[in-house]
Amino acid sequence: MPEIVTIQSRQETYIDSSDSDENFGTSNRLRVDGSPRRWTLIEFPINNSIQRQSQTVNLRVQEAKLQLYPTDSGGSSTVYAVPSSIQWSETSVTWNNFADVLDASEEVEVASIGWVNSYQWKEVDVSSAFASSLTDISDTITFVIKSRSTNGVSYRAGPFSPKLELTVGSDDDDFIEPPSPMVRDSNVLNLLTCSFEFTNPLFCIIAHDYNPR
C-alpha cells in the first residue's frame, strides 16, 4: 500500500535583487515578487525521509504536494525544481552568488501558483518533479519560487515553514485485483452462464442454487 510521508523543509530563505549582497537566512518570511525580483528557495531531504520504506522494492513518488503558509495575499508565481544535490546554505546565499551555488540550467518548471489568500495553507501539486523513480533522485530537492507579478506575497518560515507531502509506493501498488465473477451468500449462489449455441447469442441462463432455511 502507498504511504504518505510529510517532510519538513531542511532550509529555506529568499534572495532579493534590490539588496543583492544581503542574506536573509534568519528571516521568518519567504518573499516572492516580480518587482523588485525576490525568489524563495526551499530545500527538502528526500532519501533520508523515506528510509523506513523497504529498500528491496522499486519505490517511486506517486504524488507530491508542496505546502506553503502565506502571511498576506498575493499574485501568481511559478515553482521550479532542482532535483540534484547542489549544495547551498540559507545563511550565505545571496542574489549575487545565487548562480554560483545553484545552476539555473537545471531548473525545471513543475507548477504554477495562482492567487493566494493570507493565513490559509496553500497546497501545490509538484508531482512532475518526481517523474523518475526514487533511485534516480538524489538526497535533496530544491524548489525555487519566482514571480512576474508586482503584487508580491510572503510565506512563513519557522513554525509554519514549508512542507512536502509525498505519496510513496511501489509499481505493484498500481495493480488492482479484479472482482470475483461469482457472488455468493449463505442462501443463494448466482452463477451467470452465457451460451452461444442458441440462435440469439445474447441469450443467457441464470442458474440459482437455493439453500432453504
Side-chain angles (χ1 to χ4, degrees), residues 124-145:
V124 185
D125 189 342
V126 292
S127 303
S128 61
F130 300 88
S132 60
S133 65
L134 284 177
T135 55
D136 296 326
I137 295 177
S138 57
D139 292 338
T140 64
I141 186 169
T142 293
F143 291 102
V144 182
I145 307 177

mmCIF file with all atom_site columns, all heavy atoms in Angstrom, residues 124-145:
data_model
loop_
_atom_site.group_PDB
_atom_site.id
_atom_site.type_symbol
_atom_site.label_atom_id
_atom_site.label_alt_id
_atom_site.label_comp_id
_atom_site.label_asym_id
_atom_site.label_entity_id
_atom_site.label_seq_id
_atom_site.pdbx_PDB_ins_code
_atom_site.Cartn_x
_atom_site.Cartn_y
_atom_site.Cartn_z
_atom_site.occupancy
_atom_site.B_iso_or_equiv
_atom_site.pdbx_formal_charge
_atom_site.auth_seq_id
_atom_site.auth_comp_id
_atom_site.auth_asym_id
_atom_site.auth_atom_id
_atom_site.pdbx_PDB_model_num
ATOM 1   N N   . VAL A 1 124 ? 0.265  22.905 -3.410  1.00 0.00 ? 124 VAL A N   1
ATOM 2   C CA  . VAL A 1 124 ? 0.643  22.965 -4.824  1.00 0.00 ? 124 VAL A CA  1
ATOM 3   C C   . VAL A 1 124 ? 1.113  21.584 -5.272  1.00 0.00 ? 124 VAL A C   1
ATOM 4   O O   . VAL A 1 124 ? 1.982  20.978 -4.636  1.00 0.00 ? 124 VAL A O   1
ATOM 5   C CB  . VAL A 1 124 ? 1.766  23.998 -5.055  1.00 0.00 ? 124 VAL A CB  1
ATOM 6   C CG1 . VAL A 1 124 ? 2.054  24.142 -6.539  1.00 0.00 ? 124 VAL A CG1 1
ATOM 7   C CG2 . VAL A 1 124 ? 1.403  25.339 -4.429  1.00 0.00 ? 124 VAL A CG2 1
ATOM 8   N N   . ASP A 1 125 ? 0.538  21.093 -6.355  1.00 0.00 ? 125 ASP A N   1
ATOM 9   C CA  . ASP A 1 125 ? 0.927  19.784 -6.894  1.00 0.00 ? 125 ASP A CA  1
ATOM 10  C C   . ASP A 1 125 ? 2.258  19.910 -7.638  1.00 0.00 ? 125 ASP A C   1
ATOM 11  O O   . ASP A 1 125 ? 2.346  20.572 -8.666  1.00 0.00 ? 125 ASP A O   1
ATOM 12  C CB  . ASP A 1 125 ? -0.154 19.269 -7.841  1.00 0.00 ? 125 ASP A CB  1
ATOM 13  C CG  . ASP A 1 125 ? 0.077  17.825 -8.276  1.00 0.00 ? 125 ASP A CG  1
ATOM 14  O OD1 . ASP A 1 125 ? 1.209  17.332 -8.141  1.00 0.00 ? 125 ASP A OD1 1
ATOM 15  O OD2 . ASP A 1 125 ? -0.882 17.197 -8.760  1.00 0.00 ? 125 ASP A OD2 1
ATOM 16  N N   . VAL A 1 126 ? 3.298  19.272 -7.097  1.00 0.00 ? 126 VAL A N   1
ATOM 17  C CA  . VAL A 1 126 ? 4.627  19.307 -7.720  1.00 0.00 ? 126 VAL A CA  1
ATOM 18  C C   . VAL A 1 126 ? 5.067  17.896 -8.113  1.00 0.00 ? 126 VAL A C   1
ATOM 19  O O   . VAL A 1 126 ? 6.259  17.579 -8.142  1.00 0.00 ? 126 VAL A O   1
ATOM 20  C CB  . VAL A 1 126 ? 5.661  19.959 -6.785  1.00 0.00 ? 126 VAL A CB  1
ATOM 21  C CG1 . VAL A 1 126 ? 5.364  21.440 -6.605  1.00 0.00 ? 126 VAL A CG1 1
ATOM 22  C CG2 . VAL A 1 126 ? 5.705  19.254 -5.421  1.00 0.00 ? 126 VAL A CG2 1
ATOM 23  N N   . SER A 1 127 ? 4.103  17.052 -8.420  1.00 0.00 ? 127 SER A N   1
ATOM 24  C CA  . SER A 1 127 ? 4.405  15.655 -8.738  1.00 0.00 ? 127 SER A CA  1
ATOM 25  C C   . SER A 1 127 ? 5.336  15.509 -9.928  1.00 0.00 ? 127 SER A C   1
ATOM 26  O O   . SER A 1 127 ? 6.124  14.553 -10.000 1.00 0.00 ? 127 SER A O   1
ATOM 27  C CB  . SER A 1 127 ? 3.105  14.890 -9.005  1.00 0.00 ? 127 SER A CB  1
ATOM 28  O OG  . SER A 1 127 ? 2.224  14.962 -7.904  1.00 0.00 ? 127 SER A OG  1
ATOM 29  N N   . SER A 1 128 ? 5.269  16.433 -10.871 1.00 0.00 ? 128 SER A N   1
ATOM 30  C CA  . SER A 1 128 ? 6.103  16.312 -12.064 1.00 0.00 ? 128 SER A CA  1
ATOM 31  C C   . SER A 1 128 ? 7.589  16.433 -11.757 1.00 0.00 ? 128 SER A C   1
ATOM 32  O O   . SER A 1 128 ? 8.426  16.058 -12.576 1.00 0.00 ? 128 SER A O   1
ATOM 33  C CB  . SER A 1 128 ? 5.703  17.373 -13.093 1.00 0.00 ? 128 SER A CB  1
ATOM 34  O OG  . SER A 1 128 ? 5.877  18.676 -12.567 1.00 0.00 ? 128 SER A OG  1
ATOM 35  N N   . ALA A 1 129 ? 7.925  16.919 -10.560 1.00 0.00 ? 129 ALA A N   1
ATOM 36  C CA  . ALA A 1 129 ? 9.334  16.992 -10.171 1.00 0.00 ? 129 ALA A CA  1
ATOM 37  C C   . ALA A 1 129 ? 9.905  15.610 -9.896  1.00 0.00 ? 129 ALA A C   1
ATOM 38  O O   . ALA A 1 129 ? 11.127 15.428 -9.859  1.00 0.00 ? 129 ALA A O   1
ATOM 39  C CB  . ALA A 1 129 ? 9.496  17.867 -8.933  1.00 0.00 ? 129 ALA A CB  1
ATOM 40  N N   . PHE A 1 130 ? 9.027  14.628 -9.733  1.00 0.00 ? 130 PHE A N   1
ATOM 41  C CA  . PHE A 1 130 ? 9.450  13.269 -9.404  1.00 0.00 ? 130 PHE A CA  1
ATOM 42  C C   . PHE A 1 130 ? 9.036  12.309 -10.514 1.00 0.00 ? 130 PHE A C   1
ATOM 43  O O   . PHE A 1 130 ? 8.458  11.257 -10.257 1.00 0.00 ? 130 PHE A O   1
ATOM 44  C CB  . PHE A 1 130 ? 8.841  12.832 -8.075  1.00 0.00 ? 130 PHE A CB  1
ATOM 45  C CG  . PHE A 1 130 ? 9.232  13.690 -6.920  1.00 0.00 ? 130 PHE A CG  1
ATOM 46  C CD1 . PHE A 1 130 ? 8.495  14.814 -6.592  1.00 0.00 ? 130 PHE A CD1 1
ATOM 47  C CD2 . PHE A 1 130 ? 10.346 13.396 -6.166  1.00 0.00 ? 130 PHE A CD2 1
ATOM 48  C CE1 . PHE A 1 130 ? 8.851  15.622 -5.525  1.00 0.00 ? 130 PHE A CE1 1
ATOM 49  C CE2 . PHE A 1 130 ? 10.717 14.190 -5.094  1.00 0.00 ? 130 PHE A CE2 1
ATOM 50  C CZ  . PHE A 1 130 ? 9.974  15.307 -4.775  1.00 0.00 ? 130 PHE A CZ  1
ATOM 51  N N   . ALA A 1 131 ? 9.325  12.677 -11.724 1.00 0.00 ? 131 ALA A N   1
ATOM 52  C CA  . ALA A 1 131 ? 8.903  11.872 -12.861 1.00 0.00 ? 131 ALA A CA  1
ATOM 53  C C   . ALA A 1 131 ? 9.634  10.540 -12.910 1.00 0.00 ? 131 ALA A C   1
ATOM 54  O O   . ALA A 1 131 ? 9.114  9.555  -13.423 1.00 0.00 ? 131 ALA A O   1
ATOM 55  C CB  . ALA A 1 131 ? 9.128  12.634 -14.170 1.00 0.00 ? 131 ALA A CB  1
ATOM 56  N N   . SER A 1 132 ? 10.853 10.480 -12.384 1.00 0.00 ? 132 SER A N   1
ATOM 57  C CA  . SER A 1 132 ? 11.611 9.236  -12.377 1.00 0.00 ? 132 SER A CA  1
ATOM 58  C C   . SER A 1 132 ? 11.466 8.559  -11.029 1.00 0.00 ? 132 SER A C   1
ATOM 59  O O   . SER A 1 132 ? 10.901 9.118  -10.085 1.00 0.00 ? 132 SER A O   1
ATOM 60  C CB  . SER A 1 132 ? 13.087 9.520  -12.660 1.00 0.00 ? 132 SER A CB  1
ATOM 61  O OG  . SER A 1 132 ? 13.615 10.391 -11.677 1.00 0.00 ? 132 SER A OG  1
ATOM 62  N N   . SER A 1 133 ? 11.979 7.315  -10.921 1.00 0.00 ? 133 SER A N   1
ATOM 63  C CA  . SER A 1 133 ? 11.900 6.585  -9.660  1.00 0.00 ? 133 SER A CA  1
ATOM 64  C C   . SER A 1 133 ? 12.833 7.207  -8.633  1.00 0.00 ? 133 SER A C   1
ATOM 65  O O   . SER A 1 133 ? 13.745 7.957  -8.965  1.00 0.00 ? 133 SER A O   1
ATOM 66  C CB  . SER A 1 133 ? 12.282 5.114  -9.882  1.00 0.00 ? 133 SER A CB  1
ATOM 67  O OG  . SER A 1 133 ? 13.644 5.023  -10.265 1.00 0.00 ? 133 SER A OG  1
ATOM 68  N N   . LEU A 1 134 ? 12.607 6.875  -7.379  1.00 0.00 ? 134 LEU A N   1
ATOM 69  C CA  . LEU A 1 134 ? 13.400 7.466  -6.316  1.00 0.00 ? 134 LEU A CA  1
ATOM 70  C C   . LEU A 1 134 ? 14.875 7.107  -6.418  1.00 0.00 ? 134 LEU A C   1
ATOM 71  O O   . LEU A 1 134 ? 15.727 7.819  -5.901  1.00 0.00 ? 134 LEU A O   1
ATOM 72  C CB  . LEU A 1 134 ? 12.864 7.017  -4.957  1.00 0.00 ? 134 LEU A CB  1
ATOM 73  C CG  . LEU A 1 134 ? 11.587 7.705  -4.496  1.00 0.00 ? 134 LEU A CG  1
ATOM 74  C CD1 . LEU A 1 134 ? 11.128 7.121  -3.173  1.00 0.00 ? 134 LEU A CD1 1
ATOM 75  C CD2 . LEU A 1 134 ? 11.804 9.192  -4.352  1.00 0.00 ? 134 LEU A CD2 1
ATOM 76  N N   . THR A 1 135 ? 15.203 6.022  -7.072  1.00 0.00 ? 135 THR A N   1
ATOM 77  C CA  . THR A 1 135 ? 16.611 5.650  -7.202  1.00 0.00 ? 135 THR A CA  1
ATOM 78  C C   . THR A 1 135 ? 17.364 6.638  -8.071  1.00 0.00 ? 135 THR A C   1
ATOM 79  O O   . THR A 1 135 ? 18.582 6.694  -8.032  1.00 0.00 ? 135 THR A O   1
ATOM 80  C CB  . THR A 1 135 ? 16.736 4.244  -7.807  1.00 0.00 ? 135 THR A CB  1
ATOM 81  O OG1 . THR A 1 135 ? 16.012 4.202  -9.058  1.00 0.00 ? 135 THR A OG1 1
ATOM 82  C CG2 . THR A 1 135 ? 16.155 3.201  -6.876  1.00 0.00 ? 135 THR A CG2 1
ATOM 83  N N   . ASP A 1 136 ? 16.647 7.424  -8.862  1.00 0.00 ? 136 ASP A N   1
ATOM 84  C CA  . ASP A 1 136 ? 17.289 8.422  -9.710  1.00 0.00 ? 136 ASP A CA  1
ATOM 85  C C   . ASP A 1 136 ? 17.281 9.811  -9.081  1.00 0.00 ? 136 ASP A C   1
ATOM 86  O O   . ASP A 1 136 ? 17.758 10.761 -9.683  1.00 0.00 ? 136 ASP A O   1
ATOM 87  C CB  . ASP A 1 136 ? 16.576 8.489  -11.071 1.00 0.00 ? 136 ASP A CB  1
ATOM 88  C CG  . ASP A 1 136 ? 16.701 7.192  -11.837 1.00 0.00 ? 136 ASP A CG  1
ATOM 89  O OD1 . ASP A 1 136 ? 17.735 6.530  -11.715 1.00 0.00 ? 136 ASP A OD1 1
ATOM 90  O OD2 . ASP A 1 136 ? 15.732 6.851  -12.537 1.00 0.00 ? 136 ASP A OD2 1
ATOM 91  N N   . ILE A 1 137 ? 16.709 9.936  -7.899  1.00 0.00 ? 137 ILE A N   1
ATOM 92  C CA  . ILE A 1 137 ? 16.631 11.227 -7.229  1.00 0.00 ? 137 ILE A CA  1
ATOM 93  C C   . ILE A 1 137 ? 17.668 11.260 -6.121  1.00 0.00 ? 137 ILE A C   1
ATOM 94  O O   . ILE A 1 137 ? 17.813 10.315 -5.363  1.00 0.00 ? 137 ILE A O   1
ATOM 95  C CB  . ILE A 1 137 ? 15.222 11.457 -6.658  1.00 0.00 ? 137 ILE A CB  1
ATOM 96  C CG1 . ILE A 1 137 ? 14.220 11.559 -7.801  1.00 0.00 ? 137 ILE A CG1 1
ATOM 97  C CG2 . ILE A 1 137 ? 15.173 12.721 -5.808  1.00 0.00 ? 137 ILE A CG2 1
ATOM 98  C CD1 . ILE A 1 137 ? 12.799 11.716 -7.349  1.00 0.00 ? 137 ILE A CD1 1
ATOM 99  N N   . SER A 1 138 ? 18.408 12.341 -6.037  1.00 0.00 ? 138 SER A N   1
ATOM 100 C CA  . SER A 1 138 ? 19.473 12.442 -5.056  1.00 0.00 ? 138 SER A CA  1
ATOM 101 C C   . SER A 1 138 ? 18.912 12.736 -3.674  1.00 0.00 ? 138 SER A C   1
ATOM 102 O O   . SER A 1 138 ? 17.714 12.708 -3.455  1.00 0.00 ? 138 SER A O   1
ATOM 103 C CB  . SER A 1 138 ? 20.466 13.517 -5.492  1.00 0.00 ? 138 SER A CB  1
ATOM 104 O OG  . SER A 1 138 ? 19.798 14.738 -5.660  1.00 0.00 ? 138 SER A OG  1
ATOM 105 N N   . ASP A 1 139 ? 19.791 13.019 -2.744  1.00 0.00 ? 139 ASP A N   1
ATOM 106 C CA  . ASP A 1 139 ? 19.379 13.149 -1.345  1.00 0.00 ? 139 ASP A CA  1
ATOM 107 C C   . ASP A 1 139 ? 18.465 14.335 -1.090  1.00 0.00 ? 139 ASP A C   1
ATOM 108 O O   . ASP A 1 139 ? 17.709 14.331 -0.125  1.00 0.00 ? 139 ASP A O   1
ATOM 109 C CB  . ASP A 1 139 ? 20.618 13.274 -0.459  1.00 0.00 ? 139 ASP A CB  1
ATOM 110 C CG  . ASP A 1 139 ? 21.411 11.988 -0.420  1.00 0.00 ? 139 ASP A CG  1
ATOM 111 O OD1 . ASP A 1 139 ? 20.822 10.934 -0.714  1.00 0.00 ? 139 ASP A OD1 1
ATOM 112 O OD2 . ASP A 1 139 ? 22.613 12.032 -0.126  1.00 0.00 ? 139 ASP A OD2 1
ATOM 113 N N   . THR A 1 140 ? 18.560 15.367 -1.897  1.00 0.00 ? 140 THR A N   1
ATOM 114 C CA  . THR A 1 140 ? 17.766 16.572 -1.656  1.00 0.00 ? 140 THR A CA  1
ATOM 115 C C   . THR A 1 140 ? 17.084 17.030 -2.933  1.00 0.00 ? 140 THR A C   1
ATOM 116 O O   . THR A 1 140 ? 17.463 16.644 -4.042  1.00 0.00 ? 140 THR A O   1
ATOM 117 C CB  . THR A 1 140 ? 18.650 17.726 -1.133  1.00 0.00 ? 140 THR A CB  1
ATOM 118 O OG1 . THR A 1 140 ? 19.591 18.080 -2.150  1.00 0.00 ? 140 THR A OG1 1
ATOM 119 C CG2 . THR A 1 140 ? 19.387 17.331 0.131   1.00 0.00 ? 140 THR A CG2 1
ATOM 120 N N   . ILE A 1 141 ? 16.073 17.858 -2.742  1.00 0.00 ? 141 ILE A N   1
ATOM 121 C CA  . ILE A 1 141 ? 15.453 18.545 -3.874  1.00 0.00 ? 141 ILE A CA  1
ATOM 122 C C   . ILE A 1 141 ? 15.194 19.981 -3.444  1.00 0.00 ? 141 ILE A C   1
ATOM 123 O O   . ILE A 1 141 ? 14.781 20.234 -2.309  1.00 0.00 ? 141 ILE A O   1
ATOM 124 C CB  . ILE A 1 141 ? 14.148 17.864 -4.329  1.00 0.00 ? 141 ILE A CB  1
ATOM 125 C CG1 . ILE A 1 141 ? 13.608 18.537 -5.603  1.00 0.00 ? 141 ILE A CG1 1
ATOM 126 C CG2 . ILE A 1 141 ? 13.099 17.864 -3.232  1.00 0.00 ? 141 ILE A CG2 1
ATOM 127 C CD1 . ILE A 1 141 ? 12.482 17.767 -6.267  1.00 0.00 ? 141 ILE A CD1 1
ATOM 128 N N   . THR A 1 142 ? 15.498 20.915 -4.319  1.00 0.00 ? 142 THR A N   1
ATOM 129 C CA  . THR A 1 142 ? 15.297 22.332 -4.048  1.00 0.00 ? 142 THR A CA  1
ATOM 130 C C   . THR A 1 142 ? 14.199 22.873 -4.943  1.00 0.00 ? 142 THR A C   1
ATOM 131 O O   . THR A 1 142 ? 14.189 22.615 -6.148  1.00 0.00 ? 142 THR A O   1
ATOM 132 C CB  . THR A 1 142 ? 16.594 23.130 -4.285  1.00 0.00 ? 142 THR A CB  1
ATOM 133 O OG1 . THR A 1 142 ? 17.563 22.739 -3.311  1.00 0.00 ? 142 THR A OG1 1
ATOM 134 C CG2 . THR A 1 142 ? 16.351 24.624 -4.171  1.00 0.00 ? 142 THR A CG2 1
ATOM 135 N N   . PHE A 1 143 ? 13.274 23.611 -4.344  1.00 0.00 ? 143 PHE A N   1
ATOM 136 C CA  . PHE A 1 143 ? 12.252 24.319 -5.096  1.00 0.00 ? 143 PHE A CA  1
ATOM 137 C C   . PHE A 1 143 ? 12.582 25.811 -5.070  1.00 0.00 ? 143 PHE A C   1
ATOM 138 O O   . PHE A 1 143 ? 12.925 26.360 -4.018  1.00 0.00 ? 143 PHE A O   1
ATOM 139 C CB  . PHE A 1 143 ? 10.861 24.094 -4.504  1.00 0.00 ? 143 PHE A CB  1
ATOM 140 C CG  . PHE A 1 143 ? 10.346 22.696 -4.671  1.00 0.00 ? 143 PHE A CG  1
ATOM 141 C CD1 . PHE A 1 143 ? 10.377 21.801 -3.623  1.00 0.00 ? 143 PHE A CD1 1
ATOM 142 C CD2 . PHE A 1 143 ? 9.841  22.271 -5.893  1.00 0.00 ? 143 PHE A CD2 1
ATOM 143 C CE1 . PHE A 1 143 ? 9.909  20.502 -3.777  1.00 0.00 ? 143 PHE A CE1 1
ATOM 144 C CE2 . PHE A 1 143 ? 9.373  20.978 -6.066  1.00 0.00 ? 143 PHE A CE2 1
ATOM 145 C CZ  . PHE A 1 143 ? 9.409  20.093 -5.002  1.00 0.00 ? 143 PHE A CZ  1
ATOM 146 N N   . VAL A 1 144 ? 12.489 26.432 -6.233  1.00 0.00 ? 144 VAL A N   1
ATOM 147 C CA  . VAL A 1 144 ? 12.692 27.870 -6.366  1.00 0.00 ? 144 VAL A CA  1
ATOM 148 C C   . VAL A 1 144 ? 11.373 28.470 -6.835  1.00 0.00 ? 144 VAL A C   1
ATOM 149 O O   . VAL A 1 144 ? 10.811 28.035 -7.849  1.00 0.00 ? 144 VAL A O   1
ATOM 150 C CB  . VAL A 1 144 ? 13.816 28.201 -7.364  1.00 0.00 ? 144 VAL A CB  1
ATOM 151 C CG1 . VAL A 1 144 ? 14.031 29.706 -7.450  1.00 0.00 ? 144 VAL A CG1 1
ATOM 152 C CG2 . VAL A 1 144 ? 15.103 27.487 -6.971  1.00 0.00 ? 144 VAL A CG2 1
ATOM 153 N N   . ILE A 1 145 ? 10.853 29.444 -6.111  1.00 0.00 ? 145 ILE A N   1
ATOM 154 C CA  . ILE A 1 145 ? 9.581  30.079 -6.449  1.00 0.00 ? 145 ILE A CA  1
ATOM 155 C C   . ILE A 1 145 ? 9.866  31.487 -6.955  1.00 0.00 ? 145 ILE A C   1
ATOM 156 O O   . ILE A 1 145 ? 10.489 32.293 -6.257  1.00 0.00 ? 145 ILE A O   1
ATOM 157 C CB  . ILE A 1 145 ? 8.634  30.122 -5.244  1.00 0.00 ? 145 ILE A CB  1
ATOM 158 C CG1 . ILE A 1 145 ? 8.463  28.725 -4.647  1.00 0.00 ? 145 ILE A CG1 1
ATOM 159 C CG2 . ILE A 1 145 ? 7.278  30.683 -5.653  1.00 0.00 ? 145 ILE A CG2 1
ATOM 160 C CD1 . ILE A 1 145 ? 7.592  28.687 -3.410  1.00 0.00 ? 145 ILE A CD1 1
#
